[in-house]
Amino acid sequence: MNVRSVVMFLLLEGIAIFGVSLSAPAQVAAPPARESAASKEAARGEAAAPSRFSKIQHVIWIMQENHSFDNYFGTYPGADGPPPTTCLPTKPGSKRCVAPFHMPKGAPACDLMHYWEVAHAGYNNGAMDGFVWAEGTPYTMGYYDQRDIPNYWQYARHYTLADRFFSSLNGPSGPNHVYTVAAQSGGLTVNAFTLEQVEDVLDDPDGFSFASMVNLFQKTNVSWKYYLETQPLPPGQKKIGINLYYPNPKEYSIWNPLPGFKAVRDNPEAMKHLVDLQDFYRDLREGTLPDVTWIVPMLRDSEHPPQPPAEGMWYVTSLVNAVMESPSWKNSVIFLTWDDYGGFYDHVEPPTVDAFGYGPRVPAVIISPYAKPGYISHYPYDFTSVLKFIEERWNLSHLTARDDRANDLSDVFNFDQSPNPPHVIPIPGHLDKTTIEPFCEYKSTVPLPFPVQPSKIGLPVPH
């Protein structure tokens, strides 16, 4: 596919006037004060963290790709799934409709579109009934359940599921990944696949020139790393320019946005924190896991259609098992989320908090000794809620109005409960690893108003 571009010429300070405050989450009981004065934070001379979050010393954010909440957990008992009468029209005004159905094995064979324009067509002014004709395929109504993704359902049963967790922007992967590190996308609403495209679309020679979480970490002693799964380029094969098949932690991609920030890529010390995923396993073994970590897959393990969800599930399971089998488990939280809805139907209208979002709900599972077991949280969250949790845990300032007003996920924790034991899921001895090619996507049934493309066109790629 070609890069779709729409540039929102809005000043970030101006955006704030369109924001609406979210209701504050219920506060959990404060845990007892730490007995030891020689805690890691005190040893580094940090300001004391709010007592309600002080038992968490490691935030591990695993980001997967392109599934809506209804697509993965719409049939989960007790969660807010589609009403039984749900049936979406095949065309605007048509009496023919498609009801939700269990996804057939091997489907979908292509990617579902989730550009800004397609996402808003599916949203249809809040009616949430335009997905079938906007996506151009009934597969938007397909869903998976415990037969397909049993490990994810097990995590939800043992820990906490959030059924009001929204993507930050009503559009594709790239801008949403920027939200995960900066609480904004700088007005970017499209996938800019190269740094040159970022500069072109935003009309900014610096690329992303606004602040990110790295700026906050550099002002404190909060340690961090951005882990990226990689694989070697086969001999004789040319590297694909989008950096998703054979990614490099030091190179910008739509799933690895930090090198797009001038303040990061021009800072050798900051760039040292962008590392290969193998470092994650080593850090767990050696007891050097940072305070805050992001973990992003390569395409093969991303669950991005048409990649099989099960392959990504086992990749995530290996990550979770590694945490649970390490000393770090006792004071960690794993936030497992997906970056956007991926073109799949979700029936809940996203709240309008500003000109860019929210977007449709995405799955979110919170795994921790202190996550409420078997609990479903109904508070509204988005990716900036994870940033809000990090900011409150380490007494950091906020970046934008988004993270300032976000709910902080305190509802999912009970720090007075007996800690949950680790739930290690055995991994089969042999798992197939395949990257499905060539890439294809379904096309909208009706014409949509795609805008002019940026001057530097990208390759046909996943998004």
Side-chain angles (χ1 to χ4, degrees):
M1 77 200 73
N2 289 325
V3 178
R4 311 294 190 181
S5 155
V6 62
V7 181
M8 306 296 290
F9 292 105
L10 297 173
L11 295 175
L12 294 174
E13 293 301 320
I15 291 171
I17 67 174
F18 297 105
V20 292
S21 297
L22 301 175
S23 58
Q27 301 299 312
V28 298
R34 284 180 174 268
E35 296 181 0
S36 172
S39 66
K40 181 171 70 172
E41 287 76 18
R44 291 193 314 228
E46 290 183 337
S51 59
R52 58 180 177 156
F53 295 154
S54 63
K55 289 188 176 181
I56 299 298
Q57 294 185 15
H58 304 288
V59 173
I60 303 163
W61 192 351
I62 301 174
M63 180 66 78
Q64 292 294 97
E65 293 291 318
N66 290 46
H67 289 276
S68 70
F69 184 89
D70 280 346
N71 181 242
Y72 267 12
F73 288 99
T75 60
Y76 186 85
D80 185 2
T85 57
T86 298
C87 198
L88 267 60
T90 57
K91 292 183 179 179
S94 174
K95 293 183 179 180
R96 291 186 176 183
C97 62
V98 180
F101 59 90
H102 182 255
M103 192 73 76
K105 185 177 181 179
C110 296
D111 189 21
L112 282 69
M113 294 195 300
H114 40 287
Y115 307 115
W116 170 273
E117 299 79 16
V118 177
H120 284 77
Y123 169 78
N124 197 18
N125 296 311
M128 307 302 286
D129 63 359
F131 286 79
V132 175
W133 53 263
E135 297 297 336
T137 174
Y139 287 128
T140 184
M141 302 301 292
Y143 65 81
Y144 302 91
D145 59 24
Q146 62 183 339
R147 292 169 288 182
D148 313 291
I149 47 173
N151 300 5
Y152 292 154
W153 280 45
Q154 286 192 52
Y155 292 144
R157 291 191 188 100
H158 285 81
Y159 304 103
T160 297
L161 177 68
D163 72 357
R164 280 292 188 281
F165 198 109
F166 297 89
S167 49
S168 291
L169 179 139
N170 196 9
S173 293
N176 275 296
H177 275 269
V178 182
Y179 269 90
T180 68
V181 297
Q184 62 162 302
S185 67
L188 184 72
T189 61
V190 301
N191 283 324
F193 293 103
T194 65
L195 180 56
E196 291 75 19
Q197 287 181 5
V198 174
E199 296 167 351
D200 183 49
V201 173
L202 295 183
D203 193 23
D204 189 336
D206 292 337
F208 301 126
S209 56
F210 43 91
S212 72
M213 293 297 290
V214 176
N215 296 83
L216 301 185
F217 296 154
Q218 289 174 337
K219 295 176 182 178
T220 65
N221 290 317
V222 178
S223 59
W224 66 278
K225 283 185 181 178
Y226 198 101
Y227 299 100
L228 187 64
E229 187 190 24
T230 66
Q231 64 178 346
L233 189 69
Q237 182 168 331
K238 293 183 179 180
K239 185 171 183 178
I240 299 174
I242 57 165
N243 297 334
L244 301 183
Y245 295 89
Y246 305 99
N248 182 336
K250 311 298 184 184
E251 296 179 1
Y252 165 83
S253 78
I254 58 173
W255 300 351
N256 184 30
L258 284 175
F261 288 79
K262 180 177 175 60
V264 175
R265 68 175 178 273
D266 288 354
N267 184 336
E269 187 60 34
M271 289 294 286
K272 292 179 182 178
H273 296 259
L274 280 56
V275 297
D276 189 287
L277 181 60
Q278 292 306 312
D279 286 14
F280 175 69
Y281 295 101
R282 186 180 66 223
D283 286 338
L284 285 173
R285 290 192 304 268
E286 297 180 357
T288 55
L289 186 70
D291 299 327
V292 178
T293 64
W294 291 263
I295 302 178
V296 177
M298 58 185 168
L299 180 64
R300 186 185 66 195
D301 291 327
S302 69
E303 301 167 51
H304 187 300
Q307 295 300 132
E311 287 195 23
M313 177 193 71
W314 286 113
Y315 151 80
V316 169
T317 301
S318 70
L319 297 171
V320 175
N321 283 355
V323 176
M324 290 181 170
E325 294 174 328
S326 76
S328 298
W329 163 252
K330 65 181 181 295
N331 49 30
S332 291
V333 58
I334 300 170
F335 293 112
L336 172 59
T337 64
W338 282 254
D339 72 340
D340 65 59
Y341 77 113
F344 292 108
Y345 172 66
D346 194 83
H347 78 283
V348 174
E349 177 186 357
T352 299
V353 296
D354 58 27
F356 301 102
Y358 294 150
R361 293 184 305 168
V362 294
V365 184
I366 298 87
I367 303 170
S368 173
Y370 300 104
K372 296 176 182 177
Y375 180 66
I376 301 176
S377 178
H378 304 301
Y379 280 93
Y381 305 117
D382 80 310
F383 299 135
T384 67
S385 295
V386 180
L387 302 186
K388 179 70 169 283
F389 178 87
I390 294 168
E391 291 159 1
E392 292 194 351
R393 166 58 185 85
W394 280 281
N395 196 26
L396 308 176
S397 61
H398 65 270
L399 289 166
T400 70
R402 273 291 194 94
D403 53 327
D404 183 34
R405 297 174 179 177
N407 285 334
D408 62 8
L409 289 152
S410 57
D411 177 60
V412 309
F413 296 101
N414 179 359
F415 292 107
D416 287 334
Q417 71 185 22
S418 297
N420 298 315
H423 181 69
V424 176
I425 300 175
I427 298 177
H430 175 74
L431 293 171
D432 293 332
K433 291 289 186 179
T434 57
T435 300
I436 297 177
E437 298 182 86
F439 180 80
C440 60
E441 69 178 1
Y442 302 103
K443 301 297 182 183
S444 300
T445 303
V446 299
L448 297 178
F450 291 115
V452 177
Q453 300 165 359
S455 60
K456 298 180 179 64
I457 301 302
L459 299 169
V461 291
H463 57 95

Short mmCIF file of all heavy atoms in Angstrom, two decimals, residues 159-203:
data_model
loop_
_atom_site.label_atom_id
_atom_site.label_comp_id
_atom_site.label_asym_id
_atom_site.label_seq_id
_atom_site.Cartn_x
_atom_site.Cartn_y
_atom_site.Cartn_z
N TYR A 159 -5.17 -12.52 36.26
CA TYR A 159 -4.76 -11.16 36.59
C TYR A 159 -5.90 -10.21 36.21
O TYR A 159 -7.04 -10.48 36.57
CB TYR A 159 -3.42 -10.84 35.92
CG TYR A 159 -2.37 -11.85 36.30
CD1 TYR A 159 -2.00 -12.87 35.41
CD2 TYR A 159 -1.78 -11.85 37.56
CE1 TYR A 159 -1.06 -13.84 35.78
CE2 TYR A 159 -0.85 -12.81 37.93
CZ TYR A 159 -0.50 -13.80 37.04
OH TYR A 159 0.41 -14.76 37.42
N THR A 160 -5.65 -9.10 35.54
CA THR A 160 -6.70 -8.11 35.29
C THR A 160 -6.84 -7.82 33.81
O THR A 160 -5.85 -7.64 33.09
CB THR A 160 -6.38 -6.79 36.04
OG1 THR A 160 -6.38 -7.03 37.44
CG2 THR A 160 -7.42 -5.73 35.73
N LEU A 161 -8.08 -7.73 33.37
CA LEU A 161 -8.44 -7.35 32.01
C LEU A 161 -9.10 -5.98 32.05
O LEU A 161 -9.93 -5.71 32.93
CB LEU A 161 -9.40 -8.37 31.40
CG LEU A 161 -9.94 -8.10 29.99
CD1 LEU A 161 -8.83 -8.22 28.96
CD2 LEU A 161 -11.09 -9.07 29.68
N ALA A 162 -8.74 -5.09 31.14
CA ALA A 162 -9.37 -3.77 31.04
C ALA A 162 -10.21 -3.72 29.77
O ALA A 162 -9.68 -3.90 28.67
CB ALA A 162 -8.31 -2.66 31.02
N ASP A 163 -11.52 -3.52 29.92
CA ASP A 163 -12.37 -3.52 28.73
C ASP A 163 -12.81 -2.12 28.30
O ASP A 163 -13.74 -1.96 27.51
CB ASP A 163 -13.58 -4.44 28.92
CG ASP A 163 -14.63 -3.90 29.90
OD1 ASP A 163 -14.41 -2.82 30.49
OD2 ASP A 163 -15.66 -4.58 30.07
N ARG A 164 -12.10 -1.11 28.82
CA ARG A 164 -12.32 0.27 28.35
C ARG A 164 -10.97 0.91 28.03
O ARG A 164 -10.76 2.09 28.30
CB ARG A 164 -13.04 1.10 29.41
CG ARG A 164 -14.54 0.90 29.46
CD ARG A 164 -15.22 1.45 28.22
NE ARG A 164 -16.66 1.43 28.32
CZ ARG A 164 -17.43 0.36 28.13
NH1 ARG A 164 -16.86 -0.80 27.86
NH2 ARG A 164 -18.74 0.43 28.22
N PHE A 165 -10.07 0.13 27.48
CA PHE A 165 -8.75 0.64 27.12
C PHE A 165 -8.78 0.99 25.63
O PHE A 165 -8.93 0.11 24.78
CB PHE A 165 -7.67 -0.41 27.40
CG PHE A 165 -6.28 0.15 27.48
CD1 PHE A 165 -5.61 0.21 28.69
CD2 PHE A 165 -5.63 0.62 26.35
CE1 PHE A 165 -4.32 0.72 28.78
CE2 PHE A 165 -4.35 1.13 26.42
CZ PHE A 165 -3.69 1.18 27.64
N PHE A 166 -8.65 2.28 25.32
CA PHE A 166 -8.77 2.77 23.96
C PHE A 166 -7.40 3.07 23.35
O PHE A 166 -6.45 3.41 24.07
CB PHE A 166 -9.62 4.04 23.93
CG PHE A 166 -11.03 3.83 24.39
CD1 PHE A 166 -11.38 3.96 25.73
CD2 PHE A 166 -12.03 3.49 23.49
CE1 PHE A 166 -12.69 3.76 26.16
CE2 PHE A 166 -13.34 3.29 23.90
CZ PHE A 166 -13.66 3.42 25.24
N SER A 167 -7.31 2.92 22.04
CA SER A 167 -6.12 3.44 21.36
C SER A 167 -6.14 4.95 21.48
O SER A 167 -7.20 5.57 21.62
CB SER A 167 -6.11 3.00 19.90
OG SER A 167 -7.35 3.25 19.26
N SER A 168 -4.98 5.57 21.43
CA SER A 168 -4.89 7.01 21.70
C SER A 168 -5.36 7.86 20.53
O SER A 168 -5.84 8.97 20.72
CB SER A 168 -3.45 7.39 22.07
OG SER A 168 -3.11 6.87 23.33
N LEU A 169 -5.20 7.33 19.31
CA LEU A 169 -5.55 8.08 18.11
C LEU A 169 -6.40 7.19 17.21
O LEU A 169 -6.11 5.99 17.06
CB LEU A 169 -4.28 8.53 17.39
CG LEU A 169 -4.44 9.30 16.08
CD1 LEU A 169 -3.43 10.47 16.00
CD2 LEU A 169 -4.23 8.37 14.87
N ASN A 170 -7.41 7.74 16.60
CA ASN A 170 -8.33 6.98 15.76
C ASN A 170 -7.72 6.79 14.37
O ASN A 170 -8.13 7.43 13.40
CB ASN A 170 -9.67 7.70 15.66
CG ASN A 170 -10.77 6.78 15.14
OD1 ASN A 170 -10.58 5.58 15.00
ND2 ASN A 170 -11.93 7.35 14.85
N GLY A 171 -6.71 5.92 14.32
CA GLY A 171 -5.99 5.73 13.08
C GLY A 171 -4.97 4.61 13.22
O GLY A 171 -5.13 3.70 14.05
N PRO A 172 -3.88 4.66 12.45
CA PRO A 172 -2.96 3.54 12.31
C PRO A 172 -1.89 3.45 13.39
O PRO A 172 -1.86 4.23 14.36
CB PRO A 172 -2.34 3.79 10.94
CG PRO A 172 -2.30 5.28 10.83
CD PRO A 172 -3.56 5.75 11.50
N SER A 173 -0.95 2.51 13.17
CA SER A 173 0.07 2.18 14.16
C SER A 173 1.02 3.32 14.48
O SER A 173 1.27 3.61 15.65
CB SER A 173 0.90 0.99 13.66
OG SER A 173 0.14 -0.19 13.59
N GLY A 174 1.60 3.92 13.44
CA GLY A 174 2.67 4.88 13.65
C GLY A 174 2.36 5.96 14.66
O GLY A 174 3.09 6.13 15.65
N PRO A 175 1.28 6.73 14.46
CA PRO A 175 0.97 7.77 15.44
C PRO A 175 0.70 7.23 16.83
O PRO A 175 1.07 7.86 17.83
CB PRO A 175 -0.28 8.44 14.85
CG PRO A 175 -0.26 8.11 13.39
CD PRO A 175 0.38 6.76 13.30
N ASN A 176 0.05 6.06 16.93
CA ASN A 176 -0.23 5.49 18.24
C ASN A 176 1.05 5.09 18.97
O ASN A 176 1.15 5.25 20.19
CB ASN A 176 -1.17 4.29 18.10
CG ASN A 176 -2.63 4.71 18.05
OD1 ASN A 176 -3.16 5.26 19.01
ND2 ASN A 176 -3.27 4.47 16.92
N HIS A 177 2.05 4.60 18.23
CA HIS A 177 3.33 4.30 18.87
C HIS A 177 4.00 5.56 19.39
O HIS A 177 4.68 5.54 20.42
CB HIS A 177 4.24 3.56 17.91
CG HIS A 177 4.02 2.08 17.87
ND1 HIS A 177 4.70 1.21 18.68
CD2 HIS A 177 3.17 1.33 17.13
CE1 HIS A 177 4.29 -0.03 18.45
NE2 HIS A 177 3.36 0.01 17.50
N VAL A 178 3.84 6.67 18.69
CA VAL A 178 4.41 7.93 19.17
C VAL A 178 3.74 8.33 20.48
O VAL A 178 4.39 8.81 21.41
CB VAL A 178 4.29 9.04 18.11
CG1 VAL A 178 4.93 10.33 18.62
CG2 VAL A 178 4.95 8.62 16.81
N TYR A 179 2.42 8.11 20.58
CA TYR A 179 1.73 8.39 21.84
C TYR A 179 2.31 7.58 22.99
O TYR A 179 2.33 8.05 24.13
CB TYR A 179 0.24 8.08 21.70
CG TYR A 179 -0.61 9.25 21.26
CD1 TYR A 179 -0.83 9.50 19.91
CD2 TYR A 179 -1.19 10.12 22.19
CE1 TYR A 179 -1.61 10.57 19.50
CE2 TYR A 179 -1.97 11.19 21.79
CZ TYR A 179 -2.18 11.42 20.44
OH TYR A 179 -2.94 12.48 20.03
N THR A 180 2.76 6.37 22.73
CA THR A 180 3.27 5.52 23.82
C THR A 180 4.55 6.05 24.43
O THR A 180 4.93 5.63 25.53
CB THR A 180 3.49 4.07 23.36
OG1 THR A 180 4.58 4.01 22.43
CG2 THR A 180 2.24 3.49 22.74
N VAL A 181 5.24 6.95 23.75
CA VAL A 181 6.48 7.50 24.29
C VAL A 181 6.41 9.01 24.53
O VAL A 181 7.30 9.57 25.16
CB VAL A 181 7.69 7.21 23.37
CG1 VAL A 181 7.93 5.71 23.26
CG2 VAL A 181 7.52 7.83 21.99
N ALA A 182 5.33 9.66 24.04
CA ALA A 182 5.31 11.13 24.12
C ALA A 182 3.95 11.72 24.48
O ALA A 182 3.84 12.94 24.59
CB ALA A 182 5.76 11.72 22.78
N ALA A 183 2.92 10.91 24.64
CA ALA A 183 1.57 11.38 24.98
C ALA A 183 0.99 12.32 23.93
O ALA A 183 0.09 13.09 24.20
CB ALA A 183 1.56 12.07 26.35
N GLN A 184 1.49 12.23 22.72
CA GLN A 184 0.98 12.96 21.57
C GLN A 184 1.68 12.40 20.34
O GLN A 184 2.65 11.64 20.44
CB GLN A 184 1.26 14.45 21.68
CG GLN A 184 2.74 14.80 21.73
CD GLN A 184 3.02 16.25 21.40
OE1 GLN A 184 2.67 16.73 20.33
NE2 GLN A 184 3.65 16.95 22.35
N SER A 185 1.20 12.79 19.16
CA SER A 185 1.88 12.40 17.92
C SER A 185 2.37 13.62 17.15
O SER A 185 2.84 13.49 16.02
CB SER A 185 0.94 11.58 17.02
OG SER A 185 -0.14 12.39 16.56
N GLY A 186 2.25 14.80 17.75
CA GLY A 186 2.69 16.01 17.08
C GLY A 186 1.81 16.40 15.90
O GLY A 186 2.22 17.17 15.05
N GLY A 187 0.59 15.87 15.86
CA GLY A 187 -0.30 16.14 14.73
C GLY A 187 -0.22 15.08 13.66
O GLY A 187 -0.99 15.12 12.69
N LEU A 188 0.68 14.11 13.78
CA LEU A 188 0.80 13.04 12.80
C LEU A 188 -0.40 12.12 12.91
O LEU A 188 -0.72 11.62 13.99
CB LEU A 188 2.09 12.26 13.05
CG LEU A 188 2.44 11.16 12.05
CD1 LEU A 188 2.88 11.76 10.72
CD2 LEU A 188 3.54 10.26 12.61
N THR A 189 -1.07 11.86 11.79
CA THR A 189 -2.22 10.96 11.79
C THR A 189 -2.03 9.81 10.81
O THR A 189 -2.95 9.01 10.62
CB THR A 189 -3.50 11.71 11.41
OG1 THR A 189 -3.36 12.25 10.10
CG2 THR A 189 -3.80 12.82 12.40
N VAL A 190 -0.87 9.72 10.19
CA VAL A 190 -0.60 8.69 9.19
C VAL A 190 0.67 7.93 9.55
O VAL A 190 1.41 8.33 10.44
CB VAL A 190 -0.44 9.31 7.78
CG1 VAL A 190 -1.68 10.06 7.37
CG2 VAL A 190 0.77 10.23 7.74
N ASN A 191 0.91 6.86 8.82
CA ASN A 191 2.17 6.14 8.96
C ASN A 191 3.23 6.80 8.10
O ASN A 191 3.13 6.77 6.87
CB ASN A 191 2.00 4.69 8.55
CG ASN A 191 1.29 3.87 9.59
OD1 ASN A 191 1.49 4.08 10.79
ND2 ASN A 191 0.45 2.94 9.18
N ALA A 192 4.20 7.40 8.75
CA ALA A 192 5.38 7.91 8.05
C ALA A 192 6.47 6.87 8.25
O ALA A 192 6.98 6.69 9.35
CB ALA A 192 5.80 9.26 8.62
N PHE A 193 6.82 6.14 7.17
CA PHE A 193 7.63 4.95 7.30
C PHE A 193 9.12 5.22 7.43
O PHE A 193 9.88 4.33 7.81
CB PHE A 193 7.37 4.01 6.11
CG PHE A 193 5.99 3.44 6.10
CD1 PHE A 193 5.03 3.93 5.25
CD2 PHE A 193 5.65 2.43 6.98
CE1 PHE A 193 3.75 3.41 5.25
CE2 PHE A 193 4.37 1.90 6.99
CZ PHE A 193 3.42 2.39 6.12
N THR A 194 9.55 6.41 7.09
CA THR A 194 10.95 6.76 7.21
C THR A 194 11.06 8.10 7.93
O THR A 194 10.08 8.86 8.00
CB THR A 194 11.63 6.88 5.84
OG1 THR A 194 11.04 7.99 5.12
CG2 THR A 194 11.46 5.59 5.03
N LEU A 195 12.25 8.39 8.42
CA LEU A 195 12.47 9.68 9.07
C LEU A 195 12.23 10.81 8.08
O LEU A 195 11.68 11.86 8.45
CB LEU A 195 13.89 9.75 9.63
CG LEU A 195 14.29 11.04 10.35
CD1 LEU A 195 13.33 11.35 11.49
CD2 LEU A 195 15.72 10.94 10.85
N GLU A 196 12.59 10.60 6.82
CA GLU A 196 12.36 11.63 5.79
C GLU A 196 10.87 11.91 5.63
O GLU A 196 10.46 13.05 5.44
CB GLU A 196 12.97 11.19 4.46
CG GLU A 196 14.50 11.13 4.44
CD GLU A 196 15.06 9.94 5.18
OE1 GLU A 196 14.32 8.96 5.41
OE2 GLU A 196 16.26 10.00 5.57
N GLN A 197 10.05 10.87 5.73
CA GLN A 197 8.61 11.07 5.62
C GLN A 197 8.05 11.79 6.84
O GLN A 197 7.13 12.60 6.72
CB GLN A 197 7.92 9.73 5.40
CG GLN A 197 8.13 9.17 4.01
CD GLN A 197 7.41 7.85 3.80
OE1 GLN A 197 6.67 7.38 4.66
NE2 GLN A 197 7.63 7.25 2.64
N VAL A 198 8.60 11.49 8.02
CA VAL A 198 8.18 12.23 9.21
C VAL A 198 8.45 13.72 9.02
O VAL A 198 7.59 14.57 9.27
CB VAL A 198 8.91 11.72 10.46
CG1 VAL A 198 8.59 12.60 11.67
CG2 VAL A 198 8.55 10.27 10.76
N GLU A 199 9.66 14.02 8.57
CA GLU A 199 10.03 15.42 8.34
C GLU A 199 9.13 16.07 7.29
O GLU A 199 8.74 17.23 7.43
CB GLU A 199 11.50 15.49 7.91
CG GLU A 199 12.46 14.99 8.98
CD GLU A 199 13.87 14.77 8.45
OE1 GLU A 199 14.05 14.82 7.20
OE2 GLU A 199 14.79 14.51 9.25
N ASP A 200 8.79 15.30 6.26
CA ASP A 200 7.98 15.83 5.17
C ASP A 200 6.54 16.07 5.62
O ASP A 200 5.97 17.14 5.39
CB ASP A 200 8.02 14.86 3.98
CG ASP A 200 7.24 15.37 2.78
OD1 ASP A 200 7.46 16.54 2.40
OD2 ASP A 200 6.43 14.61 2.23
N VAL A 201 5.93 15.08 6.26
CA VAL A 201 4.52 15.18 6.66
C VAL A 201 4.32 16.26 7.72
O VAL A 201 3.36 17.03 7.67
CB VAL A 201 4.01 13.82 7.16
CG1 VAL A 201 2.60 13.96 7.74
CG2 VAL A 201 4.00 12.80 6.03
N LEU A 202 5.23 16.33 8.68
CA LEU A 202 5.11 17.32 9.75
C LEU A 202 5.73 18.67 9.37
O LEU A 202 5.62 19.63 10.13
CB LEU A 202 5.77 16.81 11.03
CG LEU A 202 5.13 15.59 11.69
CD1 LEU A 202 5.85 15.24 12.99
CD2 LEU A 202 3.65 15.82 11.95
N ASP A 203 6.38 18.72 8.20
CA ASP A 203 7.06 19.93 7.76
C ASP A 203 8.02 20.42 8.84
O ASP A 203 8.05 21.60 9.21
CB ASP A 203 6.03 21.03 7.42
CG ASP A 203 6.66 22.19 6.66
OD1 ASP A 203 7.72 21.98 6.02
OD2 ASP A 203 6.10 23.30 6.69
#
